[in-house]
Amino acid sequence: SSELTQDPAVSVALGQTVRITCRGSPLRNNYATWYQQRPGQAPRLVIYGKNNRPSGIPDRFSGSTSGNTASLTITGAQAVDEADYYCNSRDNSGNHLGAFGGGTRLTVL
Amino acid sequence: EMQLVESGGGLVQPGGSLTLSCEASGFAFSGYWMHWVRQVPGKGLAWVSRIDNEGTSTSHADSVKGRFTISRDNAKNTLYLEMNSLRAEDTAVYYCARVGGGGKRYDSGKYYFYYYMDVWGKGTTVTVSS
């Protein structure tokens, strides 16, 4: 089983705020990296480090961490944000980026 | 434009072998660590292997250890994944990805580490079936 746990599905009304969480022991001293994956596409980096967005990612995406839980927050969700979201971190064996969460399917209503 | 293009996927019988390639362009390939990540259709992402920028240090997931080998040819800007003793459960889309960076940060009284994969290929499909 995965060292990182995510809720399988979350929904949000258009324009509202949603938080997607990722839990696991690696997160006690590793920040989670977050990827977005739309159907039929490759994953895309959305958040890394404490709360960093790559160029081109809207500022409605933000990240945070507390204890063994990391969160990805979308403030003012848009229809284009409907996708699967994965957290990723170092695993307990020390492999950089070796642990993925199971993914959260976000539905924008 | 930074780009990764995978190739080499296909249909192979259980117990067979296959080598995937990932050709990089638009960036200095030799300066970056690289990973292979796979995704069973309809399922989540799973880490497979990683290699340092010089090709001297590698690591593999337990599920593929002893069967898969990651390597690279920096002169050809190409990453490889040699897959042997293939099983039905290895059926997946295989992505290569670049480690864009990482480091550590002192925050709330302790150090946190982070890394990230910032450039991904579109993937190549491997199907293991008789």
Side-chain angles (χ1 to χ4, degrees), chain A residues 51-69:
Chain A
N51 182 21
N52 299 294
R53 286 175 288 105
S55 173
I57 300 300
D59 61 4
R60 63 178 178 271
F61 288 87
S62 62
S64 62
T65 190
S66 178
N68 71 338
T69 300

Side-chain angles (χ1 to χ4, degrees), chain A residues 4 6-7 20-22 27 31-39 41-49 52-54 57 61-63 70-74 80-90 95-106, chain B residues 4 33-39 44-47 95-102 114-121:
Chain A
L4 299 177
Q6 297 181 242
D7 293 330
I20 298 170
T21 59
C22 174
L27 300 178
Y31 289 123
T33 297
W34 291 93
Y35 305 97
Q36 176 194 68
Q37 187 179 35
R38 297 187 175 117
Q41 295 186 13
R44 178 173 75 147
L45 176 68
V46 293
I47 291 288
Y48 67 94
N52 299 294
R53 286 175 288 105
I57 300 300
F61 288 87
S62 62
S71 300
L72 173 70
T73 300
I74 307 174
V80 296
D81 300 333
E82 188 162 288
D84 294 328
Y85 291 85
Y86 294 91
C87 59
N88 180 212
S89 174
R90 188 172 184 153
N95 294 305
H96 299 169
L97 301 168
F100 276 96
T104 297
R105 171 70 54 87
L106 175 66
Chain B
L4 296 170
W33 291 37
M34 298 292 295
H35 288 255
W36 287 100
V37 175
R38 68 185 181 183
Q39 185 171 34
L45 301 173
W47 175 73
Y95 297 100
C96 61
R98 182 186 87 164
V99 178
Y114 68 96
Y115 301 91
Y116 54 93
M117 292 183 264
D118 65 340
V119 181
W120 292 69

Side-chain angles (χ1 to χ4, degrees), chain B:
Chain B
E1 178 192 5
M2 296 178 291
Q3 198 171 8
L4 296 170
V5 179
E6 302 95 337
S7 61
L11 175 64
V12 60
Q13 292 189 338
S17 299
L18 210 56
T19 296
L20 306 182
S21 299
C22 167
E23 185 170 354
S25 60
F27 66 95
F29 177 70
S30 63
Y32 292 88
W33 291 37
M34 298 292 295
H35 288 255
W36 287 100
V37 175
R38 68 185 181 183
Q39 185 171 34
V40 173
K43 303 297 184 182
L45 301 173
W47 175 73
V48 175
S49 303
R50 70 96 181 136
I51 189 167
D52 72 350
N53 61 302
E54 296 179 337
T56 56
S57 173
T58 65
S59 185
H60 298 81
D62 289 343
S63 58
V64 306
K65 201 170 292 183
R67 301 187 299 122
F68 289 15
T69 301
I70 188 172
S71 63
R72 65 192 297 160
D73 185 337
N74 285 342
K76 295 183 178 180
N77 290 334
T78 303
L79 175 74
Y80 302 100
L81 185 67
E82 180 184 354
M83 304 184 295
N84 298 312
S85 303
L86 282 161
R87 307 166 180 168
E89 55 264 36
D90 295 318
T91 294
V93 175
Y94 285 74
Y95 297 100
C96 61
R98 182 186 87 164
V99 178
K104 66 180 182 182
R105 178 182 175 132
Y106 192 76
D107 186 11
S108 303
K110 61 181 178 180
Y111 281 102
Y112 286 82
F113 297 86
Y114 68 96
Y115 301 91
Y116 54 93
M117 292 183 264
D118 65 340
V119 181
W120 292 69
K122 295 186 187 312
T124 188
T125 300
V126 173
T127 302
V128 184
S129 175
S130 54

